[in-house]
Amino acid sequence: MLTEDKENIEKILNQALQSMSFMDEHENFYHGYMLGLFVNFMYGDYIVKSNREAGEGRFDLMIESVDRKLGIIVEFKLAREEEDITQKAEEGKKQIIEREYYRELELDQVEKILTYSIAFKGKECKVI
């Protein structure tokens, strides 16, 4: 996520999703799974926040470097069997912008803000 390589993020996450049960298809499951991954790998240099109010709503995940050089907003979406995973990811990206989840990072004077939307469908994800 720090390198903005969405294709690689998607590849790594799709590999990680192979370890979970296909029956765990709820957005809160994916949210918890991702939160655990980020807290584990970013501990110390980054502050990871989950489900907090910002702008006009609640973001799913916010990652902020301790030195305030980088902030990342992540929105999670769940695509049902009949839904297009790419369209769901695009909805998440639109939600980040419309609800201005980045405002908290702006108030913290974070230098660079990245936004990602990750849609899940079974053992697959799409990153936008």
Side-chain angles (χ1 to χ4, degrees), residues 1-92:
M1 291 217 143
L2 305 177
T3 65
E4 301 180 61
D5 184 351
K6 294 176 184 173
E7 288 180 18
N8 197 38
I9 295 166
E10 194 173 293
K11 178 183 171 186
I12 291 168
L13 290 178
N14 277 319
Q15 288 173 346
L17 289 171
Q18 298 309 304
S19 68
M20 60 172 255
S21 168
F22 186 78
M23 304 308 284
D24 294 325
E25 258 195 294
H26 301 285
E27 186 175 328
N28 61 354
F29 171 80
Y30 291 106
H31 185 130
Y33 187 82
M34 297 300 294
L35 179 60
L37 286 176
F38 287 116
V39 167
N40 189 37
F41 290 113
M42 299 186 142
Y43 181 77
D45 296 325
Y46 294 87
I47 300 164
V48 180
K49 302 173 185 175
S50 175
N51 277 335
R52 292 210 13 217
E53 291 181 16
E56 301 296 322
R58 283 182 3 173
F59 58 77
D60 285 329
L61 196 63
M62 179 183 289
I63 302 161
E64 183 178 348
S65 63
V66 175
D67 62 8
R68 294 192 173 144
K69 290 188 183 292
L70 178 64
I72 302 171
I73 304 281
V74 185
E75 182 64 26
F76 301 119
K77 291 293 181 189
L78 178 64
R80 300 286 176 209
E81 188 174 320
E82 69 278 0
E83 293 177 310
D84 181 72
I85 192 169
T86 302
Q87 183 178 355
K88 281 307 248 191
E90 289 169 354
E91 286 175 26

